[in-house]
Amino acid sequence: AVDFDKPLVMTKKIAFGNMIALLSDDTFKRPEILSPYKMPLQYGESFDSEFLLRYRKDESFSKISKTEDYYTVEINNKEEKIPYALRGWIGIHASIDQKEAKQNDELFVKNRFYNPNKLRLYIRNKLAVEDFLGYIKNTQQGVNYIEGEISFDLLDDDRLDDITTSNRQDVDIHDPRVGLLIDIVKKLVTKLIGYRVHVTDEVSAENKRRKNIIETRAKKYARKAIQKDLSSLGLKETQTMDILNAVSNKFKGNEELAAKEIFKIFISHSKKDRRFSDFIYNLLKVKGAKEEDIFYTTYEVGGNSNLAENIKKNISEVNVMVLFLDSVNSIRSQYCMFEGGAFWATRSINDCVHIHFDTSWIPDYINDTKKYHVPFNEGRNITEKAFLLTEKKYNETIDVLNLLIDHLNSSVLHVSSKITKFQHVNFPPEIELRRRNERDGTNLSMTDFMDKDFVDCWKMYVVDGITDLRDDGSSRTKQDFIDDYNSLVTKM
């Protein structure tokens, strides 16, 4: 029986076992972490280990930055020195992918109730700022792997002014004490990101070493196979060796191996949704993707009588990642259902990602809630919100795009021409942006912090719909798209 008179006690558990490095104050009780963390390797299946094992760094704040000192202030016309100290901990995760992180620490959780990638600031033991990372303006790629909980006693001092803003949801960024805290935290976060960059460089080097081993083995195997075939033709040994050496200088293994080193993207979509699929396709091209990197049926149809065979071939290729743009249009499209079936029959569920208008349009047989699912819309019916570029939609979309770019950058086609990845943006609070505009006389909006190519492509293809045409060649307005879409929803 439940004793309702006895208060429930809740305990927060942090996934310290998934962290590459942990910095904390000297009074913090450090977790006992003995086992090394794991970093997944791209070329793991051909070797004994699929992971690179590393022991984590555990250091005090004071080793990195001066976190204890005196703050000079005038109180009642008298100069006073008030001691201050940063308390708590800040760490950086090895991975923020739920599946990978749980292999390091079962406590890792990321859902709508808890986001581990935030630096929480407490004042008087109450949460004052949900994510202080937004204040330090660090745009390095690794900043979204940071988690921490800190307090700064100087912000609590009764002799000084209240540090919080009028809505009690923030702290006054213009207060010198907040500026002091920002400077301290910046150094700690930069150090942590440096640790992670060092480890990811090691992972990259190990992947390169393993790739070279695989290529060398394949080349030796191919050389022996060719030599055997040439010998069976009755050629002299000197002739065989001359031909073999000439061929060896021009290939990187056999033809099948070369195909395995080409990584491609397949965009599964309905032509009726091309406002959104054209946005993705053209944005990837702007960023540096090649024509042969992407199989996109909207540009493949033409007079192609073998489209179904080409779809099956491109989905079943070794290194293809499929992006499903799921909607009521795709679930009513024979080609989209065929693409989903071909994927289900030939691919692993880990080889796909989803961008959807609603999760109800994702066929069950290709649905996996652990993979990237990015919603462009809320609910089964399309509204104007689907066309709005919000901060949340931007960051979630670039997470998927970066996943696709990482995949394409693994291809031999991009050895010397890497596709540019997007930077995750820590958007400023609305109040801070308003103050900045008032102070500087500017008119900045949240889109000014986003990648310009992204914003321009979104406006051109999604909002203006320059390629959204009916079968007779006439243009469809945004409202036409909404009406056509929702009329199909009512029939489902």
Side-chain angles (χ1 to χ4, degrees):
V2 178
D3 185 355
F4 291 100
D5 295 326
K6 188 176 181 180
L8 294 173
V9 178
M10 296 182 67
T11 304
K12 186 190 326 184
K13 294 183 178 180
I14 306 294
F16 289 114
N18 185 48
M19 291 182 181
I20 282 176
L22 181 68
L23 306 178
S24 60
D25 72 276
D26 293 330
T27 66
F28 177 72
K29 186 178 180 182
R30 289 171 170 77
E32 294 182 4
I33 305 169
L34 302 177
S35 60
Y37 62 84
K38 301 175 180 179
M39 290 288 280
L41 292 166
Q42 182 182 351
Y43 300 98
E45 66 281 355
S46 302
F47 297 84
D48 291 338
S49 173
E50 295 185 9
F51 302 96
L52 184 68
L53 303 182
R54 289 275 303 188
Y55 286 90
R56 54 188 50 77
K57 282 187 176 292
D58 184 359
E59 297 176 338
S60 64
F61 287 155
S62 57
K63 185 176 179 181
I64 312 301
S65 176
K66 192 174 185 179
T67 56
E68 296 190 31
D69 206 340
Y70 291 88
Y71 178 77
T72 304
V73 65
E74 190 175 288
I75 301 177
N76 297 326
N77 298 321
K78 182 181 177 183
E79 188 179 272
E80 288 195 27
K81 286 190 173 183
I82 302 176
Y84 67 79
L86 179 68
R87 302 295 181 202
W89 59 273
I90 308 175
I92 188 163
H93 286 284
S95 174
I96 53 177
D97 177 270
Q98 191 109 327
K99 184 177 179 180
E100 291 178 358
K102 279 188 172 292
Q103 296 196 48
N104 286 319
D105 196 323
E106 281 293 329
L107 295 178
F108 187 88
V109 174
K110 186 176 183 180
N111 52 39
R112 63 192 181 100
F113 301 108
Y114 183 76
N115 185 348
N117 312 120
K118 291 186 177 181
L119 179 56
R120 298 171 284 276
L121 173 65
Y122 292 84
I123 296 179
R124 300 186 188 278
N125 295 321
K126 292 183 178 179
L127 185 63
V129 177
E130 186 178 9
D131 190 7
F132 196 71
L133 291 171
Y135 287 79
I136 67 172
K137 301 293 186 294
N138 188 313
T139 59
Q140 290 174 274
Q141 188 175 347
V143 74
N144 56 326
Y145 291 84
I146 295 287
E147 180 178 10
E149 296 185 341
I150 56 173
S151 63
F152 196 49
D153 51 6
L154 190 61
L155 306 182
D156 299 348
D157 200 296
D158 291 330
R159 291 168 291 178
L160 303 175
D161 294 336
D162 189 355
I163 200 71
T164 56
T165 55
S166 56
N167 62 6
R168 317 303 293 177
Q169 298 297 311
D170 260 315
V171 292
D172 185 0
I173 196 170
H174 301 294
D175 192 292
R177 291 171 289 167
V178 177
L180 175 62
L181 178 58
I182 288 172
D183 289 340
I184 293 172
V185 172
K186 266 185 180 179
K187 294 177 183 177
L188 300 173
V189 168
T190 300
K191 190 69 173 180
L192 287 169
I193 293 174
Y195 287 145
R196 191 174 192 283
V197 168
H198 176 72
V199 174
T200 52
D201 284 347
E202 286 190 336
V203 170
S204 178
E206 177 62 14
N207 277 328
K208 185 177 180 180
R209 185 186 74 85
R210 293 184 174 204
K211 184 172 183 283
N212 288 337
I213 291 173
I214 292 172
E215 288 177 355
T216 301
R217 288 173 181 169
K219 192 169 183 177
K220 287 180 179 178
Y221 174 82
R223 186 181 174 92
K224 288 180 179 179
I226 294 171
Q227 186 175 3
K228 183 179 179 181
D229 290 341
L230 290 174
S231 298
S232 67
L233 297 176
L235 297 177
K236 294 179 181 180
E237 186 175 351
T238 54
Q239 292 175 309
T240 298
M241 295 308 297
D242 286 343
I243 296 173
L244 186 60
N245 289 334
V247 171
S248 294
N249 290 332
K250 294 181 179 180
F251 82 121
K252 207 177 182 182
N254 57 20
E255 185 179 338
E256 184 181 351
L257 179 66
K260 289 181 179 179
E261 292 179 3
I262 296 177
F263 290 66
K264 297 176 71 173
I265 298 297
F266 186 108
I267 301 178
S268 176
H269 68 293
S270 165
K271 192 174 180 180
K272 292 181 180 179
D273 296 324
R274 67 177 300 176
R275 279 177 175 261
F276 297 88
S277 57
D278 275 2
F279 157 72
I280 295 165
Y281 173 76
N282 286 287
L283 180 56
L284 288 173
K285 292 285 293 295
V286 168
K287 284 302 178 187
K290 300 177 185 293
E291 197 78 40
E292 55 268 40
D293 285 335
I294 308 171
F295 187 81
Y296 184 47
T297 52
T298 289
Y299 290 169
E300 299 283 343
V301 177
N304 189 348
S305 59
N306 297 316
L307 183 59
E309 188 61 34
N310 286 345
I311 287 172
K312 183 178 179 181
K313 176 179 178 294
N314 276 275
I315 285 182
S316 61
E317 281 186 0
V318 176
N319 289 322
V320 169
M321 177 172 282
V322 182
L323 169 65
F324 289 99
L325 180 59
D326 307 300
S327 72
V328 68
N329 290 319
S330 65
I331 210 163
R332 289 172 63 92
S333 164
Q334 291 182 358
Y335 271 115
C336 289
M337 291 298 96
F338 174 75
E339 289 163 5
F343 171 85
W344 175 77
T346 61
R347 312 297 300 152
S348 160
I349 200 68
N350 292 324
D351 295 327
C352 79
V353 291
H354 294 275
I355 291 178
H356 55 78
F357 296 147
D358 187 85
T359 52
S360 61
W361 308 125
I362 305 175
D364 290 339
Y365 57 88
I366 55 170
N367 189 11
D368 179 7
T369 56
K370 294 180 181 179
K371 290 300 288 182
Y372 281 101
H373 282 208
V374 173
F376 275 165
N377 182 66
E378 296 177 4
R380 288 164 62 89
N381 286 88
I382 288 284
T383 67
E384 282 277 348
K385 288 183 179 180
F387 299 86
L388 294 177
L389 186 52
T390 63
E391 302 94 285
K392 182 175 183 291
K393 188 182 293 185
Y394 175 81
N395 275 333
E396 288 183 346
T397 303
I398 67 169
D399 282 345
V400 167
L401 291 174
N402 282 339
L403 196 71
L404 301 178
I405 290 171
D406 278 337
H407 181 77
L408 292 180
N409 279 340
S410 300
S411 175
V412 294
L413 299 178
H414 290 282
V415 170
S416 59
S417 58
K418 297 298 184 185
I419 304 171
T420 306
K421 291 179 65 173
F422 296 90
Q423 292 295 320
H424 199 90
V425 177
N426 289 309
F427 292 95
E430 289 282 357
I431 184 64
E432 182 187 329
L433 186 60
R434 181 184 296 178
R435 287 171 177 167
R436 179 174 171 179
N437 283 332
E438 291 173 351
R439 182 186 70 241
D440 301 336
T442 54
N443 190 31
L444 294 174
S445 65
M446 290 301 181
T447 56
D448 290 308
F449 294 86
M450 301 176 185
D451 181 271
K452 189 176 186 304
D453 292 330
F454 187 108
V455 175
D456 289 347
C457 285
W458 182 271
K459 185 177 186 307
M460 181 178 293
Y461 296 102
V462 176
V463 179
D464 296 340
I466 66 166
T467 58
D468 189 10
L469 307 175
R470 298 187 185 278
D471 292 338
D472 62 4
S474 61
S475 299
R476 284 202 306 172
T477 66
K478 190 164 58 176
Q479 191 57 51
D480 289 337
F481 178 90
I482 293 173
D483 293 342
D484 291 346
Y485 189 96
N486 290 338
S487 67
L488 286 179
V489 174
T490 59
K491 298 175 183 178
M492 294 295 289

